[in-house]
């Protein structure tokens, strides 16, 4: 029998994101997967702006950013009266200024390997492959005990794992697929010291199921996905296209329209450029109520459907990397956790069509939301009550995803029988794709996700907070009026500031690493004003007092910024402020390392890159400033004045 604080079941993107978070904490974590190797081909293929921000906070965005195809614009092509497709719209993929990154199209296997490499560096968590879970039990008598191991899981070790072809397709229902598993191991198996077929009993404090739409963990809990499955069948294939079509290096949709009746019917092809000359084609093969012999579908069948839509252009291929079928459906579990001990994430609790490019993103963001909370609870720095916010925060995001997916599916599948008529088509015969993306831009980029007030997000005094979560309410009232463009519950928007000591321009988000720490962002205002300087000194004295929460919550053998880090951003000209004139708590002293020169920044003109005017973009008064609390996942929990130290605690 073995013991672990956290057991993660499933080593796809969501599970690996969870493992990356867990590796930042001094807790015992295991991640197991029934497959013998990671995905190498196919599956998900897009990373949104917010996901790339998260990758950057772990220090792994650069490789993905350089390797992937950058999705900059989208074109729509619609059949004219001759049956030939012509361009009807051109829109930018992401609204300018809402995020530091644009969407990147890249293979899921590269994403998984990126996390595997990160885990090797941290060396705290390793992926154990070919481990098949067989039984799960929860002891309800001790679920509220901090040090209890109430979960018992029986697993069986195998040299070869399971055949993933049964469940390795795209989303809900797969009828045929190339497997897509990497034949060569990814270097982290953990199975060398066990015999084939060996049974192990694992006792865990917490379990996280990231094991896909056919989740074994969810089935063990007796939970079922609820929702609707349609008859819309789509094919998906990754090919190197041979074509005379001039826009294959643009994300585009083609639409073959049949106007023989008063309603529009159509076939759709979506093209997503990928890394290494690949293009992902999504091809509509059947409509609602139509019959289609799925057993007869092959890559050549899909190609022929795509060729009809692309008339008069030619399309062929000699290399197909991966292909599959899927059926449109939106399903969601009634809850994402049981007793705040066993949690589910990603496809295990919500499934949808892949046309929004959100599946892998939302799945990873599920575990990004959860696992800092688990880490803090397990290491004793937070109470178990914060775990209830996971279900409240992420299930609402999943519901929003279902709604957005239904809307875009109506655009792509013209004859759903939902009242879509020619009024939904612009004057050139193309779907008004730009208007739809404008409505959904914050959600599609991931930066618009905003959590309601709870024990982790204070209520707004401006009356613009989202609907309150059911996980418990905070009596604390935040001053949203002090920073109107920094929304409570949303991820902190980053702009460029200058390091006070070295004059280097950075994105402030570069200082908000995913390392488990809370941040107090002190917007100090104009320090040339004597009265403002005195406010900062009083704040510094309060934070540095022996009875301050900074000291109470920091272990005695750890540096003062181990749990809560204080970062200062002032609006004065940088050269008129001396770092060491500020209270020591803003640049703490270490007996071995000296002063910390990387915690104070200026919103000022840089020598080489101009002026980002961050205070104005944040809507913070350049003279008065304010104080903001960021959770470890960079979401804003509180906004107050520089005197509101007690409220921060």
């Amino acid at each position: 029998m073995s013991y672990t604080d956290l057991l993660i079941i499933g080593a796809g993107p969501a599970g690996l994101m969870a493992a990356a978070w867990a590796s930042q904490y001094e807790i015992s974590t295991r991640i197991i997967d029934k497959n013998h190797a990671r995905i190498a081909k196919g599956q998900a293929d897009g990373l949104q702006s917010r996901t790339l921000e998260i990758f950057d906070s772990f220090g792994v965005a650069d490789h993905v950013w350089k390797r992937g195809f950058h999705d900059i614009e989208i074109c729509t092509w619609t059949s004219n009266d001759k049956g030939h497709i012509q361009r009807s719209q051109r829109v930018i993929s992401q609204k300018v200024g809402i995020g530091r990154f644009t969407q990147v199209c890249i293979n899921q296997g590269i994403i998984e390997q990126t996390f595997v490499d990160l885990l090797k560096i941290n060396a705290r968590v390793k992926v154990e492959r070919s481990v098949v879970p067989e039984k799960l039990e929860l002891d309800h008598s001790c679920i509220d005990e901090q040090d209890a191991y109430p979960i018992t899981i029986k697993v069986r070790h195998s040299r070869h794992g399971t055949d993933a072809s049964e469940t390795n397709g795209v989303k809900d229902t797969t009828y045929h697929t190339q497997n897509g598993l990497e034949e060569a191991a990814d270097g982290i198996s953990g199975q060398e010291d066990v015999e084939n077929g060996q049974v192990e009993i694992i006792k865990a404090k917490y379990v996280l199921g990231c094991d896909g739409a056919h989740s074994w963990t969810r089935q063990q809990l007796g939970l079922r996905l609820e929702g609707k499955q349609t008859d819309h069948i789509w094919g998906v294939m990754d090919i190197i296209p041979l074509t005379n079509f001039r826009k294959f290096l643009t994300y585009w949709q083609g639409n073959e329209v049949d106007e023989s009746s008063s309603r529009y019917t159509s076939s759709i092809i979506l093209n997503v450029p990928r890394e290494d000359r690949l293009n992902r084609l999504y091809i509509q093969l059947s409509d609602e109520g139509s019959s289609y012999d799925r057993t007869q579908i092959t890559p050549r069948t899909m190609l022929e459907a795509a060729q009809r839509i692309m008339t008069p252009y030619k399309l062929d291929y000699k290399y197909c990397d991966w292909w599959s079928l899927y059926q449109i459906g939106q399903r969601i579990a009634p809850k994402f956790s049981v007793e705040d001990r066993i949690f589910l994430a990603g496809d295990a609790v919500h499934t949808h069509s892949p046309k929004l490019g959100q599946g892998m993103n939302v799945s990873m963001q599920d575990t990004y939301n959860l696992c800092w909370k688990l880490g803090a609870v397990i290491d004793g720095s937070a109470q178990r009550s914060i775990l209830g916010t996971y279900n409240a925060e992420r299930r609402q995001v999943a519901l929003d995803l279902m709604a957005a997916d239904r809307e875009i599916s109506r655009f792509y599948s013209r004859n759903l029988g939902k009242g879509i008529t020619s009024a939904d088509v612009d004057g050139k015969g193309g779907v008004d794709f730009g208007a739809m993306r404008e409505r959904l831009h914050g959600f599609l980029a991931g930066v618009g996700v905003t959590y309601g007030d709870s024990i982790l997000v204070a209520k707004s005094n401006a009356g613009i907070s989202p609907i309150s979560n059911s996980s418990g309410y905070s009596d604390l009232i935040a001053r949203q009026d002090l920073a109107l463009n920094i929304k409570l519950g949303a991820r902190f928007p980053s702009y460029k500031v200058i390091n006070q000591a070295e004059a280097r321009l950075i994105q402030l988000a570069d200082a908000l690493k995913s390392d488990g720490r809370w941040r107090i962002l002190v917007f100090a205002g104009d320090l040339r004003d004597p009265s403002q300087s005195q406010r900062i000194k009083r704040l510094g004295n309060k934070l540095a007092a022996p009875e301050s929460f900074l000291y109470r919550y920091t272990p005695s053998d750890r540096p003062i910024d181990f749990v809560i880090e204080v970062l200062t951003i002032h609006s004065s000209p940088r050269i008129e402020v001396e770092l060491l004139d500020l209270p020591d708590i803003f640049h703490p002293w270490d007996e071995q390392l000296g002063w910390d020169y990387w915690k104070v920044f200026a919103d000022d003109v840089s020598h080489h890159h101009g002026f980002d005017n961050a205070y104005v973009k944040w809507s913070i008064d350049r003279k008065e400033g304010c104080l903001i609390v960021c959770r470890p996942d960079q979401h804003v929990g509180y906004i107050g004045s520089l005197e509101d130290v007690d409220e921060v605690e």
Side-chain angles (χ1 to χ4, degrees), residues 294-308:
R294 304 174 179 101
T295 64
Q296 300 301 311
I297 298 175
T298 66
R300 186 56 55 177
T301 307
M302 292 187 235
L303 176 66
E304 291 170 356
Q307 289 171 334
R308 288 193 299 271

Side-chain angles (χ1 to χ4, degrees), residues 388-389 391-393 396 450-455 457-460 463-477:
T389 62
N391 187 81
E393 291 179 345
Q396 183 58 53
T450 304
Y451 302 138
D453 57 83
S454 68
I455 57 177
V457 178
K459 294 179 181 178
S460 169
I464 60 174
S465 178
I467 297 174
S468 298
N469 292 329
S470 60
S471 57
Y473 305 107
S474 169
D475 293 328
L476 189 63
I477 303 298

